């Protein structure tokens, strides 16, 4: 079951990319070559989509021509919009993602994607079905962040459910790669846009989910113990007080184990051998070149019109 609209797409994707390797990703394969690492991640995203029909807006922030070319290898012209900007930075490209997804008319389900995530094959349709048919779902992230298990900030009650034989858990926060509906994005737009004004992703999410923001003793404890978490709570109230006081709490869910991981040293999504996944991707990259895995049997890129409807 999908929310495909009259344009025929299941998901609208705003995918932002920058041509420099982030410090946490330097220890992974192609950590000295952002072009190859970014294409490895894009290829894994493409292969994760399964039978979904997606339209992609690629926001290229100061990227050389080669970045345009690999998006064109993985997505057909009718399914791809290339947006080139000149090194405007993280907060500005995030704001552009919101502008694109809130103004597009191609799909109700929307996805904000960063360029340094690695995905498991054929898992993205599960995210879409859970968003559409799961219990009280506002946002879904494919990334099971290890902070949820290790940081005091995240030690609070959570909901767990089973959907299509897979466990799903609520989370207080995540990063900036997530799936939602266009209507939910519009509903929470004021709060979601605070990241571009300096709130940080964790403060933004804690305000949306209303986790750990109402207990002043928590803030005082973090402050007295010299932990930086108190700054996050202060930012949440400074930037997002309207949502905290008057807004409806949103539910953010994550699959267990995760369907994707952020390429950040020490912060890989648990319970999946991501190093093996990375090794296989790197092997295919070296043996077959950039296009391996993205091409159909005829050697042409997949088109959304070639894909079957999601069951």
């Amino acid at each position: 079951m999908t929310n495909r609209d009259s344009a025929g797409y299941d998901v609208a994707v705003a995918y932002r990319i920058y041509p420099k390797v982030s410090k946490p990703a330097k220890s992974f394969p192609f950590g000295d070559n952002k072009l190859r690492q970014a294409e490895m991640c894009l290829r894994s995203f493409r292969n994760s989509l399964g039978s979904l029909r997606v339209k992609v807006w690629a926001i290229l922030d100061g990227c050389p021509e080669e970045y345009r070319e690999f998006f064109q290898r993985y997505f057909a012209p009718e399914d791809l919009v290339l947006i080139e900007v000149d090194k405007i930075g993280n907060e500005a490209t995030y704001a552009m993602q919101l502008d694109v997804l809130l103004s597009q008319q191609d799909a109700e389900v929307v996805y904000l994607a960063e360029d340094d995530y690695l995905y498991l094959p054929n898992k993205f349709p599960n995210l879409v079905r859970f968003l559409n048919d799961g219990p009280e779902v506002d946002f879904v992230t494919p990334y099971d962040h290890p902070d949820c298990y290790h940081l005091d900030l995240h030690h609070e009650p959570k909901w767990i459910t089973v959907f299509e034989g897979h466990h799903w858990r609520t989370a207080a926060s995540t990063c900036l790669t997530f799936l939602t509906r266009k209507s939910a994005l519009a509903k929470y737009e004021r709060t979601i846009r605070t990241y571009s004004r300096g709130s940080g992703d964790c403060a933004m999410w804690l305000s949306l989910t209303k986790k750990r923001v109402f207990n002043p003793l928590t803030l005082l404890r973090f402050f007295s113990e010299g932990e930086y978490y108190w700054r996050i709570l202060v930012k949440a109230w400074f930037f997002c007080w309207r949502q905290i006081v008057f807004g409806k709490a949103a539910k953010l869910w994550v699959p267990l184990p995760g369907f994707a991981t952020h390429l950040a040293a020490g912060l890989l999504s648990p319970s999946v051998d991501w190093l093996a996944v990375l090794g296989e991707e790197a092997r295919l990259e070296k043996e077959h070149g950039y296009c391996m895995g993205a091409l159909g049997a005829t050697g042409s890129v997949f088109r959304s019109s070639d894909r079957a409807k999601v069951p």
Side-chain angles (χ1 to χ4, degrees):
M1 180 178 180
T2 69
N3 279 348
R4 183 182 300 175
D5 74 2
S6 59
Y9 290 101
D10 297 305
V11 188
V13 178
Y15 196 114
R16 59 193 176 111
I17 187 166
Y18 181 69
K20 289 187 178 180
V21 179
S22 64
K23 289 182 179 179
K26 288 183 180 294
S27 61
F28 295 109
F30 311 120
D32 60 347
N33 188 324
K34 178 58 180 281
L35 179 68
R36 298 184 71 183
Q37 190 179 85
E39 184 158 8
M40 176 179 69
C41 290
L42 182 66
R43 181 175 60 245
S44 75
F45 173 66
R46 188 68 182 83
N47 291 334
S48 183
L49 293 174
S51 60
L52 288 174
R53 302 181 67 187
V54 303
K55 184 166 184 178
V56 177
W57 283 259
I59 301 172
L60 299 96
D61 189 16
C63 294
E65 177 66 23
E66 292 89 345
Y67 288 78
R68 291 176 54 96
E69 293 172 356
F70 74 62
F71 273 97
Q72 291 166 338
R73 285 199 289 267
Y74 290 92
F75 297 95
E78 62 267 29
D79 302 328
L80 178 65
V81 178
L82 294 168
I83 303 172
E84 296 188 74
V85 292
D86 187 17
K87 301 178 183 178
I88 62 175
N90 187 39
E91 290 83 1
T93 53
Y94 172 76
M96 287 193 69
Q97 287 178 297
L98 298 177
D99 293 340
V100 164
L101 295 177
L102 286 168
S103 62
Q104 58 82 31
Q105 302 295 324
D106 294 283
E108 170 62 11
V109 177
V110 297
Y111 188 61
L112 287 83
E114 298 165 282
D115 64 19
D116 54 354
Y117 277 66
L118 189 73
Y119 296 80
L120 294 177
N122 301 309
K123 290 296 187 181
F124 208 92
N126 300 62
L127 296 173
V128 175
R129 290 194 295 269
F130 183 71
L131 177 71
N132 288 333
D133 301 330
E136 299 182 72
V137 183
D138 298 299
F139 299 92
V140 187
T141 174
Y143 174 39
D144 185 17
H145 202 307
D147 282 357
C148 293
Y149 305 98
H150 304 308
L151 297 188
D152 189 0
L153 187 67
H154 295 281
H155 291 172
E156 43 83 31
K158 300 175 176 65
W159 288 94
I160 294 179
T161 190
V162 176
F163 181 82
E164 295 186 347
H166 201 91
H167 282 91
W168 303 76
R169 170 181 53 75
T170 56
S173 70
T174 186
C175 300
L176 297 174
T177 289
F178 60 92
L179 186 77
T180 188
R181 302 176 188 85
K182 181 181 175 182
S183 55
L185 202 64
K187 177 180 179 180
Y188 294 105
E189 179 182 2
R190 180 194 290 267
T191 302
I192 292 172
R193 284 192 182 275
T194 60
Y195 176 81
S196 294
R197 304 206 314 269
S199 69
D201 53 4
C202 189
M204 181 194 84
W205 282 112
L206 293 181
S207 303
L208 288 169
T209 60
K210 296 197 175 186
K211 302 296 184 182
R212 304 307 292 268
V213 292
F214 287 114
N215 189 345
L217 295 179
T218 299
L219 190 152
L220 291 174
R221 179 167 61 84
F222 289 154
F223 181 79
S224 65
E225 293 175 356
E227 300 197 43
Y228 73 94
Y229 310 132
W230 70 270
R231 300 175 185 269
I232 295 173
L233 297 178
V234 169
K235 282 186 174 183
W237 277 98
F238 180 80
F239 287 99
C240 311
W241 65 269
R242 289 184 181 86
Q243 163 62 21
I244 294 173
V245 176
F246 301 112
K248 181 181 178 182
K251 276 197 173 180
L252 167 67
W253 293 83
V254 56
L256 304 177
F259 295 157
T261 191
H262 195 186
L263 288 186
L267 293 174
L268 297 180
S269 183
S271 301
V272 174
D273 189 352
W274 292 105
L275 295 181
V277 176
L278 280 162
E280 179 64 13
E281 287 285 349
R283 184 187 67 80
L284 291 173
E285 180 88 10
K286 290 176 181 178
E287 288 186 5
H288 302 286
Y290 291 159
C291 297
M292 183 64 183
L295 304 182
T298 62
S300 59
V301 295
F302 285 122
R303 287 170 163 77
S304 282
S305 57
D306 298 330
R307 293 187 170 272
K309 185 176 181 179
V310 177

